[in-house]
Amino acid sequence: MKLLLCKNVSNLGIVGDVVDVSAGYGRNYLLPQRMATDPTEANMRRLKEARRQAEEELALQRKQLESLAQRITGVEVTIPARANEEGVLYGSVGKREIARALADEGHPILPEHVVLHDPIRRIDTVTVEIRLASDLHSEVKVWVVREKSAEEEAQEASGQGGTEAGGDEQGDR
């Protein structure tokens, strides 16, 4: 079934494209959502200006993605996670956590941009691919470190630093 797109549809096309889709997809989704219409000459003329605007927006988005890819190349992020003494995480670090860590550092990355085949389950340093477009890639280094427990933070705050023998000597004086 050939249809003329009235809106940008990801993985299908932009406004003004004539696409060939299955009859069910066209009838049950694209037409009822008013994302497509019949590819007549009148409809094509009507959508000509919308197509020009969509192409300009895509060119602008592409420039922004290229700039972002250059900025994040070689970036390193640290993600604290709870782990046992052997370095095995109690949970895992996945795409969402990596995207959130990058966003916290000022790099607006979505979880679907992060290419991670298996979640990170150990304290480790991993190089992760960021795929912003099919032909636009970048790599970041992710450091997964042990999250400090409440008692470790309390020791650091009190200034003990783990030397309990020094605290006893002061009490004996």
Side-chain angles (χ1 to χ4, degrees):
M1 166 179 245
K2 289 203 180 291
L3 292 175
L4 175 68
L5 294 179
C6 299
K7 296 180 181 177
N8 293 346
V9 180
S10 63
N11 298 328
L12 190 58
I14 63 169
V15 174
D17 280 351
V18 177
V19 295
D20 192 18
V21 297
S22 68
Y25 183 57
R27 273 195 320 268
N28 297 326
Y29 181 70
L30 294 175
L31 292 172
Q33 298 290 326
R34 299 188 190 269
M35 295 178 149
T37 187
D38 292 326
T40 63
E41 286 297 319
N43 286 341
M44 287 184 190
R45 279 194 306 270
R46 182 175 55 86
L47 292 174
K48 192 174 188 177
E49 178 63 24
R51 179 175 176 84
R52 187 189 61 75
Q53 289 176 353
E55 287 174 345
E56 287 177 4
E57 287 177 19
L58 286 175
L60 178 63
Q61 287 175 355
R62 177 64 185 202
K63 285 182 183 178
Q64 290 173 343
L65 288 177
E66 288 172 352
S67 170
L68 180 60
Q70 288 176 350
R71 281 195 328 235
I72 65 171
T73 299
V75 167
E76 296 183 7
V77 292
T78 302
I79 300 176
R82 293 183 49 219
N84 64 15
E85 291 78 28
E86 290 83 34
V88 178
L89 301 182
Y90 289 124
S92 65
V93 174
K95 295 178 179 186
R96 270 190 315 220
E97 291 82 9
I98 294 170
R100 188 178 313 121
L102 286 166
D104 289 345
E105 290 196 11
H107 306 290
I109 299 294
L110 299 175
E112 46 273 6
H113 293 152
V114 178
V115 179
L116 189 64
H117 301 291
D118 294 317
I120 302 168
R121 299 188 188 279
R122 298 189 58 81
I123 292 179
D124 200 0
T125 303
V126 181
T127 301
V128 177
E129 180 184 357
I130 305 296
R131 185 176 298 155
L132 299 171
S134 61
D135 60 339
L136 198 56
H137 309 272
S138 189
E139 288 186 345
V140 297
K141 188 175 277 191
V142 177
W143 295 78
V144 180
V145 298
R146 184 185 319 268
E147 187 177 84
K148 294 182 180 176
S149 67
E151 60 184 53
E152 287 174 339
E153 287 180 10
Q155 284 180 349
E156 284 184 12
S158 66
Q160 288 181 353
T163 58
E164 294 183 28
D168 290 341
E169 290 175 3
Q170 289 178 353
D172 292 339
R173 289 185 193 174

